Amino acid sequence: MTLLAAVDVGGTTVKAAVYEAGGWTKRVELRRPTARGADPAKAVADQVRTLVDRLGQAGPIAAAGVVVPGVVDEAAGIARFAANLGWRDAPLRELLAERLPMPVAFGHDVTAGGLAEHRFGAARGFADAAFVPVGTGIAAALLLGGRPHRAGGNAGELGHVDVGHGRRCGCGATGCLEAVASASAIARSYTERSGHPAGGAREVLEADDDAAREVVEEAVTALAAGLRLLVTLVAPEVVVLGGGLFEAGELLERVDRRLAGSLVFQRRPVLRRAELGDEAGCLGAGLLAAELLETVESVETVVAK
């Protein structure tokens, strides 16, 4: 039985698990607050080593997959930028390889989530798909012909397309989708307009007052505009929308209707809710580990011959 370690590093939480390759049964799961330190990349790499050591109690780990947020150059093994984690041009694959005794696959968290939804979840059966998680920010994993399109870590920044409003985004530009339609932006906008602090975006979706209705309407309009751009350029067959926002109310249905009404000649994608929840990143990391292990074993077989 082949065991794979999977680690999904988030801005606040690290999720780790052990899966049985093939059947993808989860044997063990761990969650910890994301490590902080003077050198944030080394702090996270040390934390991953500790977690994988703990996961190894389930049995010998054949390979590990680690995914992180931000701008990630997977080919180079470098985390180019992550505002929430405080690193820039961090050689994470090298740092992880120094600390872990097994082969390590390194990747982008949203891309990994897209791979998992494509293999196990809402994008099954579609060749061209987009996975769009809406949380603190907004990004997109693009799978074209079943393969992720990354462009050196620069593809998929859907949260930073200009949807026409004048608000400034945290990235420094104005008009960005995530400045009005991310979960954090929805909660912030409602607090500013109503004077009542919102505990989260779902609270705004469930509120029945003018400020909430205005904020949600702006988010729906912006999401539909962002998806229209995505559909026009990439034409995915399916768009999988993730995050807690889409588990409440009829937000997905509203976005779907608004998007459909804005399309003229473009292919209308199927819009679906993500099925894997916050396990998508870990499952995707496991898939990356399985792919790496297969490559390593193929090379070893050729060398042995």
Side-chain angles (χ1 to χ4, degrees):
M1 180 186 305
T2 301
L3 299 182
L4 303 169
V7 183
D8 178 10
V9 178
T12 57
T13 304
V14 176
K15 297 179 284 291
V18 170
Y19 295 99
E20 295 178 10
W24 294 99
T25 302
K26 183 164 58 177
R27 295 277 296 273
V28 182
E29 181 180 40
L30 299 170
R31 291 177 182 246
R32 299 288 187 275
T34 304
R36 306 289 174 177
D39 187 327
K42 287 185 177 180
V44 165
D46 288 341
Q47 182 177 35
V48 170
R49 176 181 58 194
T50 300
L51 287 171
V52 172
D53 286 346
R54 289 282 306 277
L55 294 174
Q57 295 175 12
I61 304 295
V66 181
V67 297
V68 300
V71 178
V72 180
D73 185 341
E74 292 165 317
I78 296 174
R80 295 294 181 193
F81 178 68
N84 291 334
L85 291 169
W87 60 47
R88 186 183 292 273
D89 292 329
L92 268 172
R93 185 166 60 199
E94 178 182 335
L95 292 173
L96 292 166
E98 291 171 354
R99 288 161 171 75
L100 298 179
M102 70 284 293
V104 184
F106 171 68
H108 182 242
D109 60 349
V110 176
T111 301
L115 286 170
E117 287 287 350
H118 188 256
R119 174 76 176 273
F120 304 112
R124 288 189 307 272
F126 294 94
D128 299 323
F131 170 56
V132 181
V134 178
T136 304
I138 300 175
L142 306 176
L143 291 102
L144 307 179
R147 302 294 298 174
H149 174 67
R150 292 291 295 137
N154 295 292
E157 291 296 333
L158 185 64
H160 298 286
V161 300
D162 188 346
V163 293
H165 62 81
R167 299 184 191 179
R168 184 166 295 278
C169 177
C171 75
T174 57
C176 293
L177 172 61
E178 72 176 42
V180 295
S182 66
S184 54
I186 289 172
R188 183 172 59 251
S189 294
Y190 178 76
T191 299
E192 291 171 354
R193 293 189 188 191
S194 68
H196 303 295
R202 288 189 63 170
E203 180 181 320
V204 180
L205 264 65
E206 294 166 358
D208 185 22
D209 59 59
D210 290 341
R213 284 187 285 272
E214 289 174 3
V215 168
V216 173
E217 177 63 18
E218 285 183 359
V220 168
T221 300
L223 283 166
L227 292 178
R228 183 181 187 276
L229 179 58
L230 177 67
V231 167
T232 302
L233 292 176
V234 183
E237 299 166 274
V238 62
V239 176
V240 177
L241 294 167
L245 275 177
F246 296 100
E247 297 171 6
E250 300 179 351
L251 187 64
L252 184 141
E253 289 77 10
R254 289 179 63 180
V255 172
D256 193 14
R257 290 194 297 270
R258 188 66 57 83
L259 173 62
S262 72
L263 301 180
V264 180
F265 62 88
Q266 300 92 333
R267 175 170 66 181
R268 179 182 177 182
V270 177
L271 260 61
R272 290 184 171 177
R273 290 180 180 84
E275 294 180 2
L276 303 177
D278 69 354
E279 190 179 0
C282 257
L283 268 171
L287 287 170
L288 294 178
E291 183 177 330
L292 175 63
L293 184 62
E294 183 178 334
T295 300
V296 169
E297 290 176 345
S298 296
V299 170
E300 289 175 347
T301 299
V302 170
V303 171
K305 290 181 178 179

